[in-house]
Amino acid sequence: MSTSTDKLVEEPRMEKMVELNGNLLNRERSMSCSCVDRFGDLSKEAIIQAVKDKDLRFLKEDSNKSLLSEKKFSKECIRICVKETRDISLIEEMLDFFLEANDETRRNVTFLIREAITSAVKISGDNLVIGILEYLQANKKMKTLTDTSELLEDAVYAASVEQNSETLNSILRWNQSNRLKKLSAKGKVFSGATNLKINCSSIIHAAKRNDYERVKILFRYGYRLEQRDNMTDPLKKIELFKAMASPAYIISSLENSTEGSTDFFCPVKMCFEFAVEANFRKSTIPEYKREYDEIENRCEEYAISLLEQCEDLGEVETFLQTKHGTNHANYILAILDSRMKFVAHERFQYVLLKKFGIGETEIEDNYHSYTNTLWIDMPWFSRFLHVLKQVPCYFLLFLYPFFYPCVYPSKMKSTPIPWFCKEWRVPLNRAIYTAFSYIIFITLIISYVLEPPVPYIYWVDALLGVFITSYSLRDLGTAFFLWRLEGPNPNERRFKKRYFTFWNNYNITMDILFMIGLIIRSLEYILDGPIVQVAAVEAAGRIFWGVAFTLAIIKTIKIGIASKHFGPIILSINMMMKDVCMFLITFFVIMLAFSCGVSYMFNYLSNGTNTSTHGIFSYFAWVLLQPFRGNPDYDEVTNLPYDPDCLAELAEKSSELNINSIGSCRMETMYNTSCMASRLVSLVPGQIYKNDMYECIISRRLGAENLKTAVVPMWVIYQFLVSVVLLRILIVMMTITYRKIYDNLDTQWKYSRLYLAIQFFDPDSLLPPPFTYLTLLMYLIRMVAKKADMNKIKEGRLKKRESQIPSEYKNLLFAFIDNVKPCPKPERPKGKD
């Protein structure tokens, strides 16, 4: 019984064992079949998995070449092989396959090598990158199909994009050593100099992102940037300019230049130059305004970051070069080049206001400041006393030629200096003297307007002539100073931008009007007599001087720039002039359009004589203000008669009649009275109709009523365009302009205040009228003295060139650069396609 039960139990077990063994056999068969299919005809997923498993036997099967011929899929295979395997032998095997498989894969070899290099750089695989480069160098077939130097630059570019300094150094060192080996093999001696690589994509990308570390490495291995004038692609121009203007490239160039070489430059001035150039391109190429605005801001902000490294007042003075007495000082260039943010910085403002204030002079000598109080910190009463103290100093300026050695004493001589000479050297006092001169000038203008009697008019004319010529010479002196500032290679565009500002243009216009009026006034004195009548000349002179007087008095509001309350108003006037000019140009076009159309209509009434349109613009203005009857030639067109009874009544009431009273007697009729009298004689009495008088109508042309009707809608359209559209747009434009100034009020005001004061920092500037000619006399004496000793001058120029950048400024500059390194943008850029 037990044995039978055991058999029953063992039978199902045996069946299960047989079934399990069958399943195992089937699985082994399926696995063997799948192994055959794996290398015979694999899918994309299977090929990628095989690459990850470091099994490249699928490359031997021809059935897989169709998939591997696809550019996108082959790129993915190479990327997976580099990132997952990190085995140079497998990478070389795959590249060899793509090189020899077929024509389609062979065309993609360069692209795949670039992908392999980029992937190796991304995983920081220095050995992989060098291995791939050595493979390219050793494989002759690769050399025939690819440009190894270009692929090397791709590796450098990829390392720059990834900001991987170690990989970048490894690639560049390998390239340098490989080049050295080639020279040694050819029996040549390596001189140590590297071939410069100009405008490569790697350094452009690194410099554009302000990546100082990578730019420094590339610069050390001979990578440089140069401006190309023959570039036609605007995007490439912007990219190159952005790279050259980056603080990272500027600092790298400075650090790699030797101190005594001609390549040494001031990075602050270089930042200013690039900022000015970016500002110019921003205005001339508005399509790329955002890019150039970014370049300008980046240069100026780096200069500000260097300024903020100053720890005391002495360092700020050294950095701004306020004590060197040179025209190329940083503070002068910052003001002239409109670096408003830099100028408005609190450290810049304090030093310049201190330099402008009481007790500050241009010469470092034994004359110490008798007060350290700034002008803006002084109470009003102290300011008033100081201005009164300068009155005698102002009138003693006629002694300037005799005390010139005391004003600017030699360091070798120690001579006593009079107190008024000390006052002459203070920039604030020079500004006060200029204000005194302008007050006298305005007083002369007002006295001239009051028509002084004959004995005094000659004195006023003579003094006005002296002041007018003096102010003209001062404006020419400003132009000469700015032109001299350009150096031996002047930049005309920069000179024009610096000189032709709003106020300088204002002064030039005023000088021209004054000079023309002065010439006409001189002709009156010369030609006046019984033979020649100069009434017309005198009238012309009054016109020019009348306009000039108006401009001269308006100019007095310029002093309000120093005030924080009136400054924005004056600045807004300057900015709004551009809006007004745009409005006038648009208004002129609309006026020309309507004047031509309306004038052509009314010429129909003149029978070809054009009496209705003597002046197209004056006629247009009258007609559109009051259609047809506003025409100044209305009487000639319509020949309106006067009522004789009305005229007789006016003559009885008054012995004198004016044009307005006579105008009330006009008869609003379109008939000629003489014609009507002749018609009355010929017609039957008591039977006069409208048609009988038709020939007496003055218009004499059919359609005249239609013309007058057509003018009304044109007048409506004109008034709508001008009064509603253009004027509203002008108001909005002015509001936006003032809002811009108000939003940036502090910066605008601080900059404008120092721009107004910069003219008084120059010790060689011309004295204010009427003492201007004394300065010219001293210039003449100095010129003669210089010509007497040309050798000393040449030696002095050489010494000046050697000490153009003082060592104290250099040391301070390099210390600031070490503390403030340019930093790249935080966002990650896109890789090279």
Side-chain angles (χ1 to χ4, degrees), residues 210 241-242 244-248 250-251 267-280 282 291-309 319-320 330-346 348-349 497 744 746-748 750-752 754 820 822:
N210 209 23
F241 180 76
K242 190 174 183 179
M244 293 183 65
S246 66
I250 294 174
I251 299 305
V268 180
K269 295 181 176 62
M270 187 65 68
C271 286
F272 288 161
E273 290 182 5
F274 280 119
V276 171
E277 181 67 20
N279 182 272
F280 171 77
K282 178 177 65 175
E291 287 81 0
Y292 286 121
D293 191 62
E294 180 184 352
I295 296 171
E296 181 183 7
N297 292 333
R298 185 170 64 179
C299 291
E300 189 169 3
E301 286 172 0
Y302 185 73
I304 293 174
S305 65
L306 293 177
L307 176 61
E308 291 176 346
Q309 296 300 310
F319 181 79
L320 297 179
N330 288 337
Y331 78 95
I332 293 180
L333 297 179
I335 296 175
L336 292 178
D337 292 336
S338 302
R339 299 299 98 211
M340 293 188 182
K341 295 179 182 178
F342 188 83
V343 174
H345 196 275
E346 59 271 10
F348 191 104
Q349 288 284 313
K497 183 175 180 59
N744 201 19
D746 189 65
T747 302
Q748 292 271 359
K750 288 180 178 178
Y751 170 77
S752 301
L754 288 183
V820 182

Side-chain angles (χ1 to χ4, degrees), residues 708-773:
K708 290 183 287 185
T709 305
V711 170
V712 175
M714 294 193 68
W715 173 81
V716 172
I717 296 174
Y718 168 80
Q719 290 293 342
F720 176 78
L721 290 177
V722 175
S723 302
V724 179
V725 179
L726 287 183
L727 288 180
R728 298 303 183 275
I729 292 176
L730 179 62
I731 293 172
V732 173
M733 291 171 63
M734 289 184 172
T735 304
I736 294 174
T737 301
Y738 186 80
R739 186 64 187 177
K740 289 180 180 178
I741 297 174
Y742 185 80
D743 292 340
N744 201 19
L745 175 62
D746 189 65
T747 302
Q748 292 271 359
W749 170 66
K750 288 180 178 178
Y751 170 77
S752 301
R753 180 177 59 177
L754 288 183
Y755 185 85
L756 182 64
I758 190 177
Q759 57 181 315
F760 307 111
F761 293 149
D762 184 15
D764 294 330
S765 60
L766 297 176
L767 293 176
F771 310 105
T772 308
Y773 295 98

Side-chain angles (χ1 to χ4, degrees), residues 469-503:
T469 53
S470 298
Y471 279 117
S472 299
L473 289 174
R474 282 174 62 87
D475 292 333
L476 291 175
T478 302
F480 178 76
F481 167 77
L482 295 176
W483 183 259
R484 187 181 58 184
L485 199 65
E486 296 295 327
N489 299 318
N491 188 335
E492 295 184 4
R493 187 181 66 198
R494 183 171 55 194
F495 167 76
K496 292 178 181 178
K497 183 175 180 59
R498 289 175 175 176
Y499 182 64
F500 292 106
T501 59
F502 175 78
W503 287 112

Side-chain angles (χ1 to χ4, degrees), residues 545-808:
W545 268 14
V547 178
F549 288 168
T550 304
L551 296 177
I553 296 175
I554 292 176
K555 188 183 174 182
T556 55
I557 67 173
K558 185 179 179 181
I559 196 174
I561 294 177
S563 172
K564 194 170 184 178
H565 302 287
F566 297 101
I569 299 176
I570 300 171
L571 294 175
S572 62
I573 294 175
N574 181 10
M575 298 296 293
M576 288 178 183
M577 288 298 103
K578 300 178 181 179
D579 300 335
V580 173
C581 291
M582 296 301 297
F583 169 79
L584 292 178
I585 293 173
T586 308
F587 174 75
F588 175 79
V589 174
I590 294 177
M591 183 178 178
L592 177 64
F594 279 86
S595 62
C596 291
V598 175
S599 300
Y600 179 75
M601 293 180 186
F602 279 94
N603 282 337
Y604 178 78
L605 302 179
S606 61
N607 293 324
T609 60
N610 293 327
T611 56
S612 62
T613 55
H614 285 313
I616 186 169
F617 296 110
S618 62
Y619 171 78
F620 167 72
W622 282 98
V623 166
L624 291 187
L625 291 176
Q626 185 179 359
F628 189 72
R629 294 189 181 182
N631 182 16
D633 297 328
Y634 180 64
D635 292 338
E636 297 181 11
V637 176
T638 58
N639 193 18
L640 290 178
Y642 291 93
D643 187 358
D645 296 334
C646 179
L647 292 175
E649 183 180 355
L650 290 176
E652 291 177 358
K653 292 180 179 179
S654 176
S655 59
E656 296 179 357
L657 298 176
N658 54 35
I659 189 65
N660 293 329
S661 58
I662 295 177
S664 62
C665 295
R666 279 181 176 176
M667 298 177 64
E668 296 295 331
T669 179
M670 295 297 294
Y671 294 91
N672 193 323
T673 54
S674 59
C675 177
M676 291 174 65
S678 61
R679 295 294 296 174
L680 289 173
V681 174
S682 61
L683 292 174
V684 177
Q687 296 182 358
I688 301 175
Y689 300 98
K690 181 179 180 181
N691 294 333
D692 297 333
M693 296 295 171
Y694 183 77
E695 296 179 359
C696 297
I697 296 177
I698 299 298
S699 296
R700 296 184 300 275
R701 299 293 299 273
L702 296 175
E705 293 295 332
N706 296 333
L707 290 176
K708 290 183 287 185
T709 305
V711 170
V712 175
M714 294 193 68
W715 173 81
V716 172
I717 296 174
Y718 168 80
Q719 290 293 342
F720 176 78
L721 290 177
V722 175
S723 302
V724 179
V725 179
L726 287 183
L727 288 180
R728 298 303 183 275
I729 292 176
L730 179 62
I731 293 172
V732 173
M733 291 171 63
M734 289 184 172
T735 304
I736 294 174
T737 301
Y738 186 80
R739 186 64 187 177
K740 289 180 180 178
I741 297 174
Y742 185 80
D743 292 340
N744 201 19
L745 175 62
D746 189 65
T747 302
Q748 292 271 359
W749 170 66
K750 288 180 178 178
Y751 170 77
S752 301
R753 180 177 59 177
L754 288 183
Y755 185 85
L756 182 64
I758 190 177
Q759 57 181 315
F760 307 111
F761 293 149
D762 184 15
D764 294 330
S765 60
L766 297 176
L767 293 176
F771 310 105
T772 308
Y773 295 98
L774 300 178
T775 316
L776 296 177
L777 178 62
M778 293 309 304
Y779 284 169
L780 181 61
I781 295 174
R782 289 168 59 184
M783 187 183 300
V784 174
K786 287 181 179 180
K787 289 183 178 180
D789 195 359
M790 294 299 296
N791 294 330
K792 292 184 178 180
I793 293 176
K794 292 180 180 179
E795 293 177 0
R797 286 179 179 175
L798 291 175
K799 291 180 181 180
K800 186 176 181 181
R801 289 177 183 174
E802 292 175 0
S803 61
Q804 188 174 4
I805 302 180
S807 58
E808 182 183 4

Side-chain angles (χ1 to χ4, degrees), residues 172-316:
L172 294 173
R173 279 197 303 267
W174 176 84
N175 183 40
Q176 190 173 5
S177 62
N178 186 49
R179 181 168 173 265
L180 180 60
K181 291 179 182 179
K182 288 183 178 180
L183 293 176
S184 301
K186 294 180 180 179
K188 297 181 180 180
V189 179
F190 182 63
S191 61
T194 57
N195 293 328
L196 296 181
K197 302 176 180 61
I198 307 300
N199 298 341
C200 294
S201 58
S202 55
I203 192 169
I204 290 178
H205 177 83
K208 184 178 64 175
R209 295 189 63 249
N210 209 23
D211 190 353
Y212 169 74
E213 293 297 331
R214 263 55 64 183
V215 172
K216 182 176 66 174
I217 295 172
L218 293 170
F219 203 98
R220 188 168 62 246
Y221 283 95
Y223 286 79
R224 299 291 187 271
L225 296 175
E226 290 183 3
Q227 189 67 36
R228 301 292 188 183
D229 297 332
N230 56 355
M231 294 181 66
T232 57
D233 191 345
L235 295 179
K236 290 184 178 180
K237 279 186 177 181
I238 294 175
E239 297 297 317
L240 179 59
F241 180 76
K242 190 174 183 179
M244 293 183 65
S246 66
Y249 184 77
I250 294 174
I251 299 305
S252 299
S253 303
L254 178 65
E255 291 177 343
N256 283 272
S257 63
T258 57
E259 187 172 342
S261 67
T262 57
D263 296 334
F264 190 83
F265 60 90
C266 175
V268 180
K269 295 181 176 62
M270 187 65 68
C271 286
F272 288 161
E273 290 182 5
F274 280 119
V276 171
E277 181 67 20
N279 182 272
F280 171 77
R281 297 190 180 189
K282 178 177 65 175
S283 59
T284 55
I285 313 175
E287 295 83 4
Y288 305 101
K289 180 180 179 180
R290 183 180 60 83
E291 287 81 0
Y292 286 121
D293 191 62
E294 180 184 352
I295 296 171
E296 181 183 7
N297 292 333
R298 185 170 64 179
C299 291
E300 189 169 3
E301 286 172 0
Y302 185 73
I304 293 174
S305 65
L306 293 177
L307 176 61
E308 291 176 346
Q309 296 300 310
C310 299
E311 297 180 353
D312 53 38
L313 185 61
E315 290 186 352
V316 178

